[in-house]
Every structure is written in C-alpha cells, then in structure tokens.
Amino acid sequence: QVQLVESGGGLVQPGGSLRLSCTASGIIFRSYAMGWYRQAPGKQRELVARISSGGVTNYEDSVKGRFTISRDNAKSTVYLQMNSLKFEDTAVYYCTAEGIGNLWGQGTQVTVSS
C-alpha cells in the first residue's frame, strides 16, 4: 500500500545535470521528512540530502552546492536536482520517508561517465 517510486536517472557526462523524482503513495506526504540516499558498488548506502516537512534542507558535504532537494506536497513528490555531476556521483539513488520504518523505493541508476 505504501509505495515510493523513483525516476529520472540515466547516463550523463561529467559536469552535466539530472533531476530525480520520487513520488509517494499511501502516506500523508506533507507530514514526513524525505531523504535521498545513494549506494555505489561495494559501498554502503549513504544519505546525500534530506528535507523536513517544513522545507528545511540538509546535504552531505560532497554534494553541497551542487545538489538541491525540494518537495511538492500537492504532488506527493520529492526532487533532487543534481548539477555539476562527477564520476563519484555514480550510484543507485533511493528515496525514503522518515519515521515509517524501512521504506525504500526501487531506486534509479545514475551513471556519470565520459
């Protein structure tokens, strides 16, 4: 019943941009902080950005100034605008709603390659 669906990933050259989307269903979306995580091969999943229910944002240091998280409560969607992409940004990106438990979407692949 509760679902998160990520989209917007793809192949991009270094310095390029992508916009990821995550649409939630089965929850009162506006009540939850939302986060974007990523997992690269051989690495643990790490938090890259979060946004509170009130719109306050936080970023992992390596993406600060390049990534922007935002939300549209009317669409039950959280976005991650990624600019100036680097090779090390390559990962599967996941979204989650805080406070529900172990709830993740299926992930969307981002590959940065020349």
Side-chain angles (χ1 to χ4, degrees):
Q1 294 181 16
V2 181
Q3 294 183 351
L4 300 170
V5 180
E6 299 97 337
S7 62
L11 177 65
V12 65
Q13 293 184 341
S17 298
L18 286 173
R19 182 178 175 86
L20 307 184
S21 299
C22 172
T23 299
S25 60
I27 63 171
I28 303 174
F29 181 81
R30 67 180 183 274
S31 299
Y32 292 91
M34 301 294 296
W36 282 100
Y37 288 71
R38 66 186 179 189
Q39 188 167 23
K43 300 277 191 177
Q44 290 193 316
R45 193 173 299 185
E46 66 172 353
L47 177 68
V48 297
R50 74 181 296 276
I51 184 167
S52 75
S53 60
V56 178
T57 60
N58 298 96
Y59 300 93
E60 196 274 327
D61 286 342
S62 69
V63 309
K64 199 170 298 181
R66 300 188 297 119
F67 290 11
T68 302
I69 188 171
S70 62
R71 65 192 297 156
D72 185 340
N73 289 338
K75 296 180 178 179
S76 296
T77 299
V78 61
Y79 304 96
L80 187 67
Q81 178 67 47
M82 306 186 297
N83 298 326
S84 302
L85 284 161
K86 305 174 179 179
F87 293 121
E88 52 263 43
D89 295 320
T90 296
V92 179
Y93 284 71
Y94 301 88
C95 72
T96 190
E98 294 185 2
I100 296 179
N102 189 21
L103 177 63
W104 303 94
Q106 84 287 350
T108 186
Q109 176 72 50
V110 172
T111 302
V112 184
S113 177
S114 59

